């Protein structure tokens, strides 16, 4: 992680095109399964539902296209979104566990989905290349530089 | 106490029985309402049989549950009915421990012990019904109480008493108004005659039904104040040995212990009443214990030193306004809409329904108060790193809330909409252990980035405020 002059430079992770495609396919599947029931209610309902669901999947595609994760010495910063930008800071000490998901399609595309879990919050990093996902899991598994523990407060 | 599994107090079974009691009482009640006496006798026998069954089920539940404290100080909860379950709780994983003794518990020698984990949410808190001595011994083993100090802040009693007094007087006045309005429908009581002159002007504007409704609302509010006041009787709070403790209550004696290292945030709430009385309630959040139901203590203006002694490291947000250029007007939306609608309805009621003008005017005034609070939030809401802590100022309802963040590793989100991007503004969202969330609206982006940069530093006293 060290860069020039010993300064730690953050590791940057971003999803691949194929990884994003698989993730968006997962998102589209429930809509594909539910669409016949909506068409059964009426063609207009079916068309409306398909348009809305397709818009949601398109928005997810755009969002994952702008997703990056930077792992610094003390925190993981996740940025996503162009029209609704979001920046999330996860202190490394707060990340309790990382779940690595791999399905047959993801393995074919050479990608993984990571789910970060911390008390009170979580995040999904979809479509990361397999090597980057393993590197991130390994780095997050390293002990965080010892945080200062305040001594027990003595009674005044 | 360590070693052998122990059973819960018999009151634990009563909890289940109490919930199922409605099933027993429903058939006789139905027969009684219909006036069918033959059916009533049968229904009573049925209910008795059902009660015997439910009691047997309660005893089985009592037998199935157990607890024990291991030699290394871990609490193990067991369950053997239909499946074997075991849950292990370490004292170091607990953010807070609470011992409650309502009247029924005090009569039966029981205590309700509630354990609040540090990292899990409210659904995973544990509540046990134990004997008094077992509950105290278990609480001492999991989170020892610090040595009690000599000084106990008592501002909460005065504040609650003042509000209670005001609530009582207003309820009495409203009751008199309601009786005055109901005089047309009821025989005249000679005792009301001397009060007619004082109540006549206001009573003329309130229809009888609405008057009784408002009286009932005020009466219920008074009851809740009475309950709050009973919590503050013989109330004390002190800290030491890495823990903060409080104890008090008249009808429901409650003792609460918080681990200072598991503290997520401290909140000083500036309600209109608190500003009037210059007594400010302090709420603490530790793990999944939100503490929003009652303040841990109330301190008077000028006692900030006491506040810092009880909660070491507490810093409050700075006083003053923030730059408002480009700030979102969404601050004014809820109260503004309410004020506009109610104001319009008040004006229309002058011609359409004059009897409703006064209550609508009251509601419009309340909405105007909300609008004034929203304006204060618009001018003051923000987030600042101060002396190694992140401090927030948020407006919610009629009150301004000052937060000091103690959690060393909260998750921070800076979120923008397309309009916020154009205005250079962002919303700040903080997530703590226990699924607690705080939100600051429409912050300048550089301030949001400063807060993010602050949290990206290593936690500790070396954390510096960004320039």
């Amino acid at each position: 992680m060290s860069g020039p002059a010993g300064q730690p430079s953050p590791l940057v992770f971003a999803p691949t095109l194929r990884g994003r495609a698989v993730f968006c396919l997962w998102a589209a599947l429930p809509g594909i399964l539910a669409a016949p029931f909506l068409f059964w209610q009426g063609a207009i309902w079916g068309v409306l539902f398909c348009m809305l669901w397709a818009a949601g999947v398109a928005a997810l595609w755009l969002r994952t296209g702008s997703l990056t994760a930077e792992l610094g010495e003390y925190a993981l910063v996740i940025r996503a979104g162009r029209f609704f930008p979001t920046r999330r800071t996860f202190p490394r000490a707060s990340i309790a566990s990382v779940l690595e998901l791999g399905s047959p399609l993801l393995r074919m595309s050479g990608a993984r989905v990571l789910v970060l879990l911390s008390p009170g919050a979580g995040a999904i990093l979809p479509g990361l290349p397999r090597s980057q996902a393993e590197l991130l899991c390994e780095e997050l598994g390293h002990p965080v530089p010892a945080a200062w523990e305040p001594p027990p407060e003595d009674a005044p | 106490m360590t070693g052998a599994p122990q059973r819960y107090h018999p009151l634990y079974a009563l909890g289940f029985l109490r919930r199922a009691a409605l099933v027993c009482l429903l058939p006789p009640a139905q027969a009684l309402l219909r006036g069918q006496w033959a059916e009533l006798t049968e229904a009573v026998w049925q209910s008795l049989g059902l009660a015997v069954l439910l009691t047997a089920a309660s005893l089985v539940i009592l037998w199935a549950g157990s607890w024990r404290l291991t030699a290394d100080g871990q609490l193990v909860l067991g369950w053997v009915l239909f499946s074997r379950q075991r849950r292990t709780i370490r004292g170091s994983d607990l953010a807070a421990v609470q011992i409650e003794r309502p009247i029924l518990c005090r009569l039966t020698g029981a205590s309700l012990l509630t354990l609040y984990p540090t990292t899990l949410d409210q659904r995973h808190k544990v509540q046990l019904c134990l004997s008094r001595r077992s509950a105290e011994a278990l609480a001492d083993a999991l989170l020892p109480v610090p040595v009690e100090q000599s000084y106990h802040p008592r501002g909460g009693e005065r504040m609650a008493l003042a509000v209670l007094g005001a609530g009582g007087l207003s309820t009495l006045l409203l009751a008199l108004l309601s009786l005055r309005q109901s005089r047309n429908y009821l025989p005249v009581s000679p005792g009301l005659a001397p009060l007619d002159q004082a109540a006549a002007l206001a009573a003329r504007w309130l229809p009888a039904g609405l008057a009784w409704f408002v009286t009932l609302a005020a009466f219920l509010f008074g009851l809740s104040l009475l309950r709050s006041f009973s919590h503050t009787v013989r109330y004390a709070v002190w800290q030491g040995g890495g823990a903060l403790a409080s104890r008090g209550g008249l009808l429901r004696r409650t003792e609460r212990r918080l681990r200072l290292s598991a503290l997520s945030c401290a909140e000083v709430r500036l309600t209109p009443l608190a500003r009037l009385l210059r007594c400010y309630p302090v709420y603490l959040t530790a793990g999944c214990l939100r503490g929003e139901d009652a303040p841990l203590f109330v301190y008077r203006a000028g006692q900030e030193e006491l506040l810092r002694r009880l909660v070491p490291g507490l810093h409050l947000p700075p006083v003053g306004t923030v730059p408002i250029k480009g700030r979102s007007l969404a601050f004014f939306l809820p109260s503004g809409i309410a004020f506009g609608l109610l104001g319009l309805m008040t004006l229309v009621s002058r011609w359409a329904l004059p009897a409703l003008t006064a209550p609508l005017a009251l509601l419009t005034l309340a909405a105007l108060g909300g609008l004034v609070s929203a304006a204060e939030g618009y001018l003051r809401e923000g987030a600042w790193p101060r002396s190694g802590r992140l401090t927030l100022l948020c407006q919610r309802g009629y009150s301004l809330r000052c937060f000091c963040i103690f959690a060393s590793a909260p998750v921070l989100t800076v979120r923008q909409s397309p309009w916020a991007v154009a205005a250079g503004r962002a919303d700040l969202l903080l997530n703590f252990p226990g699924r607690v969330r705080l939100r600051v609206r429409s912050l300048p982006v550089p301030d949001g980035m400063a807060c993010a940069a602050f949290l990206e530093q290593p936690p500790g006293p070396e954390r510096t405020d960004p320039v």
Side-chain angles (χ1 to χ4, degrees):
Chain A
M1 281 183 65
S2 295
Q7 293 292 327
S9 55
L11 290 173
V12 181
F13 306 89
T16 61
L17 205 64
R18 286 201 279 182
R20 285 166 59 200
V22 173
F23 189 71
C24 290
L25 182 65
W26 285 0
L29 267 177
I32 292 169
L33 291 172
F37 297 97
L38 274 295
F39 273 104
W40 184 31
Q41 299 299 318
I44 188 72
W45 293 113
V47 169
L48 205 63
F49 175 79
C50 288
M51 280 172 60
L52 285 172
W53 200 271
V57 173
L60 192 65
W61 173 261
L62 287 173
R63 195 154 181 97
T64 51
S66 58
L67 183 100
T68 57
E70 281 180 24
L71 182 65
E73 196 175 354
Y74 296 103
L76 175 70
V77 178
I78 301 173
R79 291 185 178 85
R82 290 198 184 90
F83 301 110
F84 292 86
T86 305
R87 184 186 192 277
R88 301 189 79 185
T89 303
F90 280 83
R92 285 176 69 168
S94 74
I95 299 176
S97 58
V98 181
L99 187 63
E100 185 180 337
L101 297 175
S103 68
L105 269 180
L106 278 173
R107 280 197 288 273
M108 279 168 57
S109 62
R112 295 286 185 273
V113 172
L114 291 187
V115 180
L116 307 178
L117 298 169
S118 79
I124 298 177
L125 299 176
L128 295 184
R130 188 174 71 98
S131 55
Q132 286 193 1
E134 286 171 358
L135 178 61
L136 183 57
C137 287
E138 191 188 324
E139 289 293 331
L140 288 174
H142 288 161
V144 179
W148 172 75
E149 285 290 338
E153 296 291 334
D154 294 326
Chain B
M1 194 177 66
T2 59
Q6 301 190 45
R7 302 293 170 203
Y8 299 117
H9 192 275
L11 213 58
Y12 172 66
L14 193 63
F16 168 77
L17 200 58
R18 195 176 57 192
R19 281 188 281 269
L22 191 64
V23 177
C24 296
L25 295 174
L26 204 56
Q30 283 179 332
L32 195 64
L33 287 170
R34 282 198 290 261
Q36 291 163 343
W37 308 112
E39 277 189 21
L40 178 65
T41 312
E42 195 181 326
V44 166
W45 280 111
Q46 282 177 358
S47 296
L48 280 174
L50 206 55
V52 167
L53 271 175
L54 289 173
T55 306
S58 306
L59 291 173
V60 168
I61 288 171
L62 191 64
W63 166 83
S66 66
W67 66 275
R68 68 183 176 92
L69 191 66
T70 62
D72 54 357
Q74 293 186 6
L75 172 66
V76 180
L77 304 176
W79 178 262
V80 295
L81 189 62
F82 303 122
S83 65
R84 281 190 175 273
Q85 295 176 26
R86 196 170 71 172
R87 181 176 174 181
T88 306
I89 298 169
R90 289 180 299 201
S92 57
D93 290 340
L94 295 175
V97 168
Q98 180 171 284
I99 306 175
E100 285 178 290
R101 303 200 73 212
I103 292 180
L104 189 60
C105 285
R106 286 159 79 173
L107 289 173
T108 52
S111 289
L112 292 174
L113 180 69
T114 310
L115 310 175
Y116 295 91
T118 303
T119 55
L120 302 175
D121 59 26
Q122 282 259 333
R123 293 170 299 172
H124 295 96
K125 73 178 182 191
V126 175
Q127 192 169 62
L128 308 172
C129 186
L130 308 173
S131 65
R132 183 177 65 82
R133 283 190 187 155
S134 295
E136 285 172 6
L138 188 56
D140 286 340
L142 294 173
L143 210 168
V145 66
V147 174
E148 195 160 334
Q149 300 304 302
S150 57
Y151 183 78
H152 304 154
R154 298 193 188 280
E157 292 178 5
R158 188 176 82 173
M159 183 176 179
L161 190 57
V163 175
L164 184 62
L169 285 173
S170 60
T171 307
L172 188 62
L173 182 62
L174 283 167
L176 291 171
L177 291 176
S178 305
L179 284 169
R180 175 75 169 79
Q181 282 295 314
S182 305
R183 218 173 49 168
N184 294 332
Y185 309 101
L186 296 169
V188 175
S189 168
L192 285 178
L195 299 164
D196 278 352
Q197 288 181 353
L201 185 63
R204 199 170 69 178
W205 299 99
L206 279 178
L210 187 59
W212 280 112
F213 175 75
V214 174
T215 304
L216 180 66
F219 176 68
L220 292 173
F221 180 61
L223 279 182
S224 74
L225 285 177
L226 189 66
R227 181 175 168 270
S228 301
F229 177 69
S230 73
H231 280 302
T232 65
V233 172
R234 291 186 298 170
Y235 189 80
V237 59
W238 66 101
Q239 73 95 354
L244 187 68
S246 69
R247 182 189 294 138
L250 181 64
L251 301 173
R252 190 183 187 97
R253 199 150 173 81
T254 304
E255 179 179 322
R256 193 176 274 184
R257 308 175 189 184
L258 277 77
R259 195 185 299 278
L260 283 175
S261 60
L263 210 56
S264 296
C265 69
E267 175 194 343
V268 176
R269 199 173 291 184
L270 308 180
T271 60
L273 191 64
R275 292 189 216 202
L276 195 65
L277 297 175
R278 291 170 62 79
C279 289
Y280 307 111
V282 180
Y283 299 80
L284 296 183
T285 300
C288 64
L289 173 66
R290 305 231 182 153
E292 285 182 346
D293 53 346
L296 194 70
F297 59 93
V298 175
Y299 76 99
R300 291 193 288 274
Q303 286 186 328
E304 283 77 14
E305 187 51 42
L306 168 68
L307 178 62
R308 292 199 178 90
R309 241 188 329 149
L310 285 170
V311 190
L314 174 70
H315 296 280
L316 293 178
V319 178
T321 58
V322 297
I324 59 170
K325 185 184 172 190
R327 194 154 222 186
S328 168
L329 294 177
F331 278 78
F332 300 102
L333 267 180
S335 47
I337 291 172
F339 177 69
L341 277 175
L342 288 168
L344 193 64
M345 284 164 65
T346 307
L347 286 172
V348 169
S349 70
R350 289 290 303 266
W351 292 273
L353 277 171
L356 284 180
T357 302
L360 283 173
L362 280 173
L363 290 172
T364 308
L365 272 177
L368 180 64
L371 207 56
V372 169
S373 296
E376 189 183 20
Y378 186 77
L379 293 171
R380 294 189 62 187
E381 190 160 315
W384 305 266
R386 286 193 89 189
S387 307
R389 299 268 183 221
L390 193 58
T391 59
L392 313 177
L393 194 72
C394 307
Q395 175 259 326
R396 295 290 178 268
Y398 292 105
S399 50
L400 209 57
R401 302 185 180 191
C402 308
F403 292 95
C404 178
I405 310 302
F406 286 87
S408 59
V411 176
L412 183 137
T413 305
V414 179
R415 201 163 52 188
Q416 293 179 284
S417 63
W419 306 273
V421 170
R425 292 269 172 174
D427 286 353
L428 205 71
L429 192 67
L430 278 165
N431 290 76
F432 301 113
R435 295 195 179 271
V436 178
R437 286 183 173 193
L438 289 178
R439 186 169 154 239
V440 181
R441 298 166 292 178
S442 201
L443 220 60
V445 170
D447 288 0
M449 291 303 136
C451 295
F454 177 78
L455 288 177
E456 286 164 26
Q457 296 175 51
E462 295 82 21
R463 244 182 188 166
T464 53
D465 302 343
V467 175

